[in-house]
Amino acid sequence: MGKEARAKALLKQQAQTGQGALRTRAEHESAAGNWHSACEAWQALLQQSPGDASTHANLAQALAHAGRHAEAVDAWAAAMHYGLPADQAAVGMADVFILRKQYDIALENLDMAIAANDGNLQAWSKRVMVCTRLGKLQEALSAAEQVLAVAPEDLNTLLSLGMLFKDAGVPEEALSWLQRAIAAAPAKLPLRSNLLWAMLHADQPSAAEILEQARQYGQLLCAEKQAGLRQAPRRRGDVLRIGWLSADLRNHAVGHFVIPVLEAFDTQRSCHIVYDNSGLDDAMSQRARRAVSQWHKVSQLGDAALAQLIQNDQLDILIDLGGHTDGTRLEVFATRLASVQISWLGYPGTTGVIGMDYVLVPPDPALLRGGWSSEEALALPDSYCVREPSYSAPPTDCTPPCLRNGYIRFGCLNNFAKVSPSAIAVWAHILQRVAHSQLLLVINGEPDGELAADIRTRFAALGVAAERLQIRGRMSPADYFASYREIDIALDSFPFNGGTTGFDALSMATPFVTLAGEALHARMGRNLLCAVGLEPLVADSIDDYIAKACALAAEPARISALHAYLGDTMPKSVLMDVPRFARGLEAIFERLLPPA
């Protein structure tokens, strides 16, 4: 080989070595979930290999997770142009729209993928999840059959089936599918988070059983690390540095509870830093940005990078607002991130995380006694949360509908996933005892769709005719709030009580009956009713729940008085006193970390 040929061979070898190193870096950043850095690495690799389909596909995935959705669509198109099979590109396109929560468009892309290759199990598996989100239950089940016949341990399908049955109000079936997924991948923590979330909806698990499952999660998380263990807390300076980790500080129930409090904090006493894992931006998130000292968008960061960012900010207190819900970043708590670490609000349960020191709860003696949480329960002064009065316009007419209808209309506008089989049985019993009464429900689906038909069948089996049920699909906010004024008595779901919906009912001067259980998720209704002086509507057993609902239904004058009372009391209650709540929370922070 001549000198010129050897030189060319050497240059080619160096280029290949450089490409290999760059690909290794790109793959590492993608695997770590550092999506911004992954985008840069894949784009650099494309400069050297612009016609490589797999590189375009990897770039598309990174762009989608980095929130650059339009660019991701273009990158998937480029990948297909350079030879990526059409079905794989269509699945990638579907992923973009899944991340944007545009499930109808995602479904169109998945159907194109299946039309191109009906053996694409990934497309079928994602179709299970998307159909579940769209309330297309039979289509989801049919897609699951396609996958499980070939891959009986496909985790995405098993997880989606768990979520399908949870959302349909069949939690025991949901737990079965999720436990099957965990048996296939026992170390996969997101599966355990989904199991814990589903357990809150189910009749059977006791508070002790939920706690045990949460502790298993915590032990797996910190199996090889001791940094999550608690050390003597110390304050870094005169002004407390407080971090907030959440995917929901936006137009979301959590955002509407927390953002007004952030605005009300005394900046002379504390400064606040938000770690936003949503990737979304709206008027509420912009409002939150203005209320805090720093705002980090962290959805494009992997756990290690996020943990390092938080540690670099040298926090005194870190508050997690997500727990085991969608968008959680609990896995960063494998290491100690702040002197004091607190769980609050977004997940009304125990995290099981070894390094989570406290869980904030309402001033409820049953919760403060413990036995249901791995964290130490710490009581808020008046209530679990607060909302500004301007969130919803109070009703102008607090007359209950029974006075004009001549019959009682019960209602539950909670997420139907919270409506357990035992709740349905109890409500059917109440409807049978209260002649001519009706029940108004809301579901994630069409009023004449599959889930609605299934609900009518369940009630029919318990002796309740279909015409006594009013089932509505998703509504505009205005129609949703107006629906409360069509209800005489709201019936709280159990064991998982309504939180936001309980707030909404009281805001619209609609009283509700609740059953108080063992743990936080089962005592939310009690907290709200006690905060407005309506403890008599809190039941301590199923028989008591039935008795209270039926007794109230027999007294239209009392119903009318309660509607009028709430119309007058709720706007002035502690549930809507944001400054008072903020001062109480500041006092807790100061007590945990007093000045030196």
Side-chain angles (χ1 to χ4, degrees):
M1 180 183 295
K3 289 184 179 180
E4 185 176 346
R6 283 197 300 272
K8 287 182 178 180
L10 181 60
L11 287 172
K12 182 178 179 180
Q13 182 180 8
Q14 289 173 339
Q16 290 173 339
T17 301
Q19 285 185 20
L22 194 53
R23 180 172 291 276
T24 298
R25 178 194 156 206
E27 291 172 346
H28 171 77
E29 298 292 358
S30 289
N34 296 325
W35 298 111
H36 179 72
S37 298
C39 289
E40 292 180 343
W42 290 116
Q43 285 169 329
L45 193 58
L46 274 180
Q47 295 295 316
Q48 300 180 18
S49 303
D52 184 70
S54 67
T55 303
H56 281 284
N58 282 305
L59 172 60
Q61 182 188 51
L63 289 166
H65 285 283
R68 296 160 63 178
H69 300 127
E71 294 174 75
V73 169
D74 290 341
W76 281 116
M80 188 164 65
H81 172 76
Y82 287 111
L84 187 74
D87 61 306
Q88 295 179 30
V91 170
M93 294 277 197
D95 281 336
V96 177
F97 293 104
I98 289 170
L99 288 168
R100 289 175 59 86
K101 302 187 186 302
Q102 293 177 291
Y103 299 113
D104 51 346
I105 304 175
L107 183 58
E108 292 175 6
N109 280 276
L110 292 172
D111 286 345
M112 285 191 287
I114 291 167
N117 176 10
D118 64 3
N120 188 320
L121 288 185
Q122 190 180 29
W124 283 108
S125 180
K126 290 180 185 293
R127 199 176 197 281
V128 181
M129 184 273 288
V130 168
C131 287
T132 297
R133 298 282 187 168
L134 291 171
K136 298 176 180 290
L137 306 187
Q138 289 304 317
E139 288 191 48
L141 291 171
S142 296
E145 288 180 6
Q146 293 280 343
V147 179
L148 297 180
V150 179
E153 294 187 349
D154 183 82
L155 296 182
N156 289 331
T157 299
L158 297 174
L159 173 60
S160 294
L161 287 171
M163 294 303 98
L164 182 152
F165 285 104
K166 174 188 71 67
D167 292 346
V170 192
E172 268 65 33
E173 182 79 5
L175 296 183
S176 176
W177 287 107
L178 292 168
Q179 287 161 345
R180 180 171 162 182
I182 289 171
K188 200 169 182 64
L189 289 171
L191 295 176
R192 293 182 179 271
S193 284
N194 278 282
L195 177 66
L196 283 162
W197 181 237
M199 289 177 81
L200 300 188
H201 298 73
D203 287 319
Q204 296 305 317
S206 65
E209 289 169 331
I210 295 172
L211 173 57
E212 174 57 28
Q213 188 62 234
R215 288 192 189 280
Q216 289 181 29
Y217 175 95
Q219 290 162 2
L220 280 170
L221 178 61
C222 296
E224 297 179 0
K225 298 185 179 181
Q226 297 301 310
L229 296 176
R230 189 173 181 184
Q231 302 171 8
R234 63 184 181 85
R235 183 171 176 151
R236 297 179 185 274
D238 293 334
V239 177
L240 284 172
R241 293 177 60 79
I242 301 173
W244 302 78
L245 176 58
S246 177
D248 301 323
L249 290 179
R250 50 188 173 88
N251 185 20
H252 182 281
V254 170
H256 286 286
F257 286 122
V258 175
I259 292 169
V261 178
L262 292 175
E263 293 172 328
F265 281 135
D266 182 351
T267 56
Q268 300 300 311
R269 301 171 69 179
S270 57
C271 74
H272 298 268
I273 303 167
V274 166
Y275 305 92
D276 170 28
N277 196 49
S278 72
L280 302 174
D281 194 29
D282 57 31
M284 285 299 292
S285 64
Q286 291 168 19
R287 182 176 156 187
R289 282 172 181 265
R290 295 191 292 269
V292 300
S293 300
Q294 295 179 59
W295 184 280
H296 299 294
K297 295 188 74 68
V298 301
S299 60
Q300 77 281 7
L301 295 181
D303 289 337
L306 174 55
Q308 188 62 60
L309 172 65
I310 296 173
Q311 288 177 325
N312 290 346
D313 283 335
Q314 298 188 324
L315 301 177
D316 295 301
I317 298 171
L318 176 60
I319 301 169
D320 177 68
L321 295 172
H324 291 285
T325 61
D326 191 28
T328 180
R329 298 303 298 269
L330 273 183
E331 292 185 38
V332 301
F333 286 92
T335 56
R336 169 65 61 168
L337 303 174
S339 294
V340 174
Q341 300 180 155
I342 299 173
S343 173
W344 179 45
L345 199 64
Y347 177 75
T350 180
T351 65
V353 173
I354 293 170
M356 198 68 74
D357 306 315
Y358 300 100
V359 55
L360 296 180
V361 300
D364 182 339
L367 296 176
L368 295 174
R369 283 195 293 270
W372 62 275
S373 66
S374 61
E375 308 87 352
E376 180 181 343
L378 197 62
L380 290 153
D382 301 304
S383 64
Y384 186 53
C385 52
V386 68
R387 198 163 69 190
E388 55 191 350
S390 61
Y391 176 75
S392 59
T396 56
D397 181 3
C398 293
T399 305
C402 64
L403 297 187
R404 58 180 180 272
N405 292 337
Y407 59 85
I408 297 296
R409 180 181 287 126
F410 297 102
C412 179
L413 304 189
N414 298 0
N415 185 331
F416 192 78
K418 294 184 178 182
V419 180
S420 65
S422 62
I424 287 180
V426 166
W427 295 350
H429 189 81
I430 291 170
L431 289 170
Q432 288 175 326
R433 283 184 52 177
V434 180
H436 310 298
S437 59
Q438 296 186 357
L439 176 63
L440 173 60
L441 299 170
V442 64
I443 61 171
N444 180 24
E446 296 300 323
D448 56 354
E450 299 168 34
L451 178 55
D454 181 61
I455 292 168
R456 292 188 180 97
T457 298
R458 289 188 233 176
F459 274 95
L462 296 168
V464 176
E467 57 266 23
R468 297 183 68 185
L469 301 178
Q470 293 187 25
I471 301 178
R472 297 179 183 171
R474 289 197 174 273
M475 297 173 276
S476 68
D479 289 342
Y480 163 75
F481 281 107
S483 294
Y484 280 106
R485 295 310 310 150
E486 300 178 48
I487 297 171
D488 296 293
I489 305 166
L491 299 175
D492 199 6
S493 55
F494 60 86
F496 199 161
N497 297 164
T500 301
T501 47
F503 233 102
D504 295 339
L506 298 180
S507 298
M508 297 306 293
T510 304
F512 64 85
V513 176
T514 190
L515 174 61
E518 299 179 291
L520 177 58
H521 71 289
R523 301 183 71 83
M524 301 289 286
R526 178 195 180 278
N527 163 56
L528 292 169
L529 290 173
C530 289
V532 292
L534 292 182
E535 294 94 332
L537 297 181
V538 180
D540 58 13
S541 69
I542 283 178
D543 287 344
D544 191 28
Y545 183 101
I546 294 170
K548 288 181 183 297
C550 293
L552 183 55
E555 299 183 67
R558 184 179 167 213
I559 295 172
S560 184
L562 285 172
H563 280 246
Y565 169 80
L566 284 171
D568 179 63
T569 302
M570 184 63 177
K572 300 178 291 187
S573 75
V574 294
L575 294 176
M576 290 191 168
D577 191 340
V578 173
R580 176 187 174 102
F581 188 92
R583 299 292 82 79
L585 198 49
E586 286 172 335
I588 289 174
F589 296 154
E590 295 281 358
R591 190 165 71 247
L592 291 174
L593 288 172

